[in-house]
Every structure is written in C-alpha cells, then in structure tokens.
Amino acid sequence: MSHTPPKLAVLVKGWPRLSETFIAQELVALEETGQTFDIWSLRHPTDVKRHPLHDRLQAPVHYLPEYLYQEPDRVWAARAITATLPGYAEAWRVWRADLRRDPTHNRIRRFGQACVLAAELPDTVTGLYAHFLHTPSSVARYAAIMRGLPWSFSAHAKDIWTSPEWELREKLTATSHGATFGATCTAFGARHLRSLSDDPTRIDLVYHGLDLTRFPLPDPRAPRVAKAPFHMLSVGRMVEKKGFDRLLDAFALLPDHLDWRWTHIGGGELTGTLTERARQLGLSDRITWRGACDQPEVIAAMRQADLFVLPSRIAANGDRDGLPNVLMEAASQRLAILSTPVSAIPEFITSGIHGLLVTDDPNALADAITQMAADPARTQQMAEAALERLRDAFGMAPGITRLSARLSDLCGAA
C-alpha cells in the first residue's frame, strides 16, 4: 500500500533489532489492518543482519539524535521551535520534576530527543505510541505534552520491572499526563501495571502471539531413539536474565552416558564470560556458539534439535523475561521445551503438559534434561501439546485487532 500522511507516530528504542522481532511482527500486522505511521527510533541499528519482517514494513523510519552532542544544530533548532509551543512550559516542568528524582545524562537526553520529535512531527500526527514503558515512553510523554497530543505505550518486561514505581505511576495516571492507554504482553505484567494505575481499564492485555504464516509447520516428528545423540538448542541474548550461566553448570552435571550437544544462537554482553565458563567446565567440544542468526537459520536449527532450553531467571536488578516469543516459535516447530516458571512463561507452558518448567538450579535443570532425553515419546507428546496450545490460544490476530482499534481511537480522539 502507498504510505499516506500518518496520524500515528511509533517510538522504538532502536530499529531494526533482531532481538525485538516481536515489535516488527506487530507493526507489519498493524500496517495490514490499514494503520499508517512513521517510526521514530531513539538509536541507530547495530545488528549486522536483518529479519525478513523488517523488509516487509513500509513505514518510513526517522532517527532521533542518539546522543545530543552528535547533532547540536538539530537539537538547538528543535528547542527553539518547541519553546514556542503552548505545552512547552508544562513539559519543562514535568521533566524538571523527573530530573530531580533521576539526575542522569539519560534523563537529559530524553528531553532533548523529545524536543526534536515534537519539532519534526508532521502536522497530520494526532497520537503517539511507544514500545517500552521506560525511555521511549518518556520521550513520547514529553513530546506529547509539548504538542498537546495523546500518547500510548506497549510494555514488555525489563521496562516494567526495572523502572522506579514513581515513574510508572505517573505514566499510568491521567492527572500527571499519563498514557491514554497501555498494552502489555502478559497477564503477569498487566496485573502489576493495573495495580499502579488510576484506572485499571487503561491497561490492555495483548499477547504478542505468533504469526504462524511466518513459521511453516515441519512434518510430524518421529520420537527420537532413546540412546541417539541428544541435540539441545537455545536462542536468546547472553544476558543475566536468560540464565545460560546456570545452564552451563547443569550441562556439567549430566550423566556420562548421555551423548549431548548444545547450540546457542544470539549475542550479548556475557558472550566472553559464558564461552570462558564453558571452557573451564570442559564443555567446549559439545557446544556450538552461532551468534546472531536470521529467522530462516533459527527455524532450520529448531528443526534439527531435540529440545529447546530457556532457563530464564530474575536478574539482580529485577530484570526478567515476560513471555519470550522464542518459546512460541519453538512450539511452532514441534520442538519440545524446557524452561522455568518465571513471570508469564506458565501462561503458555503448563509443566508436564506442554513442556517442563523447573527452577533455574543447575541440579534441577540437569535432572529435567536427563528425564526428557530418556523418555522421547513423552517429550514429543508434550511438544505436540504445546503446538496445539499455540494454535488454540496464542494466535496473533485477536491482539492486533484490539490494538489497532485502540490506536484508531487514540488518533481519532485528538
């Protein structure tokens, strides 16, 4: 479709990002409902590879100054324009109150980016929608106050659990220029945000779901022969909340008779630490570190694996997964799942029915791996049950329909 002047501006942390394909999936689906929007990104891309979804999106992408000192002329020109807007003084007051409680360079950068956004938004824009409730929503909120526009958000995981409560409450309260509505992708997160909002109906539960047209079903799997090599796969960033450090310790506890291999897909800040840990444990010969991969490569790896393992846990700073889309992707490929009962994972996986959920303790993980390797028939039965649950309850269409209607109301109200 041709791109008509947008009524909606969508804010994201960075575009494109392989680790946030759930955002790309949503935005492509919203375009297919007839929504038109521009994307405004707070950061430039750093990933070498792109996801096929990124190429399907037709929305123009604009990049705000990633750091204010990099584009001083643009920032100061925007400041001069926004200073003439009726809402600028109120936005300045709100930001100064935030800065007193969060005196960081990041908070200063948010206001500068908001000035550029408010100055450069097309006049046709009548609503803002930010992915993530922390930094992108702050930029959206300040810019919305300047321009006198409503704003909304989609919250996920880290942004919910690592943001200070005062900031969440203000973004969820009408009298403090809060969002008109917010969507979040788990019932676990929705309950928490509703408890902080002046109006619980402001928060919608909208599962990401999975567009099954992007994940063609494999042929039915025959159960693995019990004594055959056991291939495990994990896909996720190498960060604390993914629990891969505990998984390596679990591998060291596996019985000698189990002929296992593990493939990891993804990058992250702990890459060096984890690869060195694997070497120290004497596991390197059994592990393949593949780094970042695109969707066809991930699907191919899932079809070659016997078990998908994601040992999510709560990080020291409170960060945690919500409901990782990669679990649904694994289910779409009839791949058995081993994970943990963190956050919203039990909303999709009932332990013993759709997979196994155990604590992130290495002994518990090792016991579960050994159990699933020793009983291929039951393991594959759980994989089939997870696929059935995915088809029945976690399709993408209902959530997109609801979200599109909310965004149309948001823009129409202005």
Side-chain angles (χ1 to χ4, degrees):
M1 69 183 176
S2 60
H3 190 75
T4 57
K7 292 185 177 182
L8 181 68
V10 176
L11 272 75
V12 295
K13 288 191 300 181
W15 185 271
R17 282 187 168 181
L18 279 175
S19 63
E20 296 174 0
T21 54
F22 58 91
I23 296 177
Q25 171 183 271
E26 176 194 284
L27 296 183
V28 167
L30 286 172
E31 278 191 336
E32 291 173 350
T33 70
Q35 294 286 344
T36 58
F37 49 84
D38 284 3
I39 294 175
W40 295 80
S41 178
L42 276 58
R43 292 184 177 275
H44 292 271
T46 57
D47 293 327
V48 176
K49 296 189 176 185
R50 289 171 64 91
H51 194 285
L53 279 168
H54 297 134
D55 296 324
R56 285 177 56 188
L57 195 74
Q58 299 185 45
V61 182
H62 311 272
Y63 291 94
L64 296 170
E66 188 163 337
Y67 295 98
L68 303 184
Y69 69 83
Q70 293 174 331
E71 299 183 66
D73 293 343
R74 186 182 177 197
V75 173
W76 285 111
R79 177 77 183 275
I81 293 171
T82 55
T84 66
L85 296 175
Y88 180 81
E90 177 63 8
W92 174 267
R93 183 194 67 78
V94 170
W95 172 69
R96 292 288 295 180
D98 291 348
L99 184 64
R100 283 193 292 272
R101 293 170 290 189
D102 176 33
T104 62
H105 290 296
N106 185 40
R107 182 67 61 174
I108 296 170
R109 184 164 61 248
R110 295 181 202 183
F111 191 76
Q113 289 176 320
C115 287
V116 174
L117 177 63
E120 298 182 2
L121 276 178
D123 291 338
T124 55
V125 169
T126 56
L128 286 78
Y129 174 53
H131 261 284
F132 291 101
L133 191 46
H134 48 18
T135 307
S137 284
S138 292
V139 175
R141 181 180 177 227
Y142 300 144
I145 297 170
M146 294 179 200
R147 290 284 297 262
L149 298 175
W151 70 280
S152 58
F153 67 84
S154 183
H156 303 290
K158 181 176 182 178
D159 49 327
I160 298 174
W161 304 108
T162 64
S163 297
E165 185 174 310
W166 65 262
E167 186 165 10
L168 292 177
R169 286 189 181 278
E170 292 187 6
K171 287 176 177 174
L172 298 171
T173 302
T175 55
S176 54
H177 305 286
T180 299
F181 82 90
T184 191
C185 52
T186 68
F188 185 73
R191 285 192 296 271
H192 182 64
L193 294 181
R194 286 168 180 160
S195 73
L196 299 175
S197 177
D198 63 331
D199 178 5
T201 64
R202 194 186 302 277
I203 308 301
D204 272 357
L205 170 59
V206 179
Y207 285 115
H208 293 149
L210 201 67
D211 180 2
L212 290 174
T213 63
R214 294 195 297 110
F215 293 88
L217 292 178
D219 294 332
R221 290 178 182 246
R224 170 184 147 272
V225 177
K227 293 185 179 181
F230 189 58
H231 295 274
M232 292 175 282
L233 171 70
S234 297
V235 180
R237 289 179 300 129
M238 285 191 267
V239 294
E240 184 185 2
K241 70 178 179 180
K242 297 297 182 181
F244 295 131
D245 54 339
R246 307 282 174 85
L247 184 58
L248 290 174
D249 291 344
F251 289 154
L253 300 173
L254 292 176
D256 293 339
H257 65 77
L258 182 60
D259 182 12
W260 64 272
R261 299 290 185 274
W262 180 55
T263 297
H264 177 273
I265 292 176
E269 61 196 42
L270 296 181
T271 299
T273 301
L274 293 174
T275 53
E276 174 59 20
R277 178 63 175 160
R279 188 194 66 79
Q280 292 173 354
L281 292 169
L283 305 175
S284 298
D285 291 346
R286 294 179 180 267
I287 296 175
T288 301
W289 307 96
R290 291 192 56 184
C293 292
D294 58 25
Q295 179 190 311
E297 292 171 317
V298 172
I299 290 177
M302 287 179 170
R303 292 184 175 185
Q304 294 165 5
D306 300 304
L307 179 66
F308 188 85
V309 188
L310 189 66
S312 299
R313 63 189 179 99
I314 299 175
N317 67 352
D319 190 14
R320 68 200 76 182
D321 278 327
L323 175 51
N325 263 33
V326 71
L327 293 179
M328 290 182 276
E329 293 170 9
S332 79
Q333 300 307 299
R334 290 190 162 97
L335 180 56
I337 294 169
L338 169 61
S339 192
T340 57
V342 168
S343 297
I345 292 174
E347 294 175 35
F348 178 55
I349 300 293
T350 300
S351 188
I353 297 177
H354 312 109
L356 288 186
L357 302 182
V358 299
T359 69
D360 65 335
D361 173 75
N363 287 288
L365 289 167
D367 287 346
I369 291 169
T370 304
Q371 174 185 336
M372 297 181 88
D375 194 348
R378 180 168 180 265
T379 297
Q380 194 55 43
Q381 184 181 39
M382 290 189 288
E384 295 293 337
L387 174 58
E388 184 176 352
R389 176 153 175 74
L390 173 66
R391 287 166 159 169
D392 290 346
F394 285 85
M396 183 181 64
I400 291 298
T401 299
R402 173 66 174 160
L403 183 59
S404 181
R406 276 283 215 172
L407 292 171
S408 293
D409 290 344
L410 177 83
C411 293

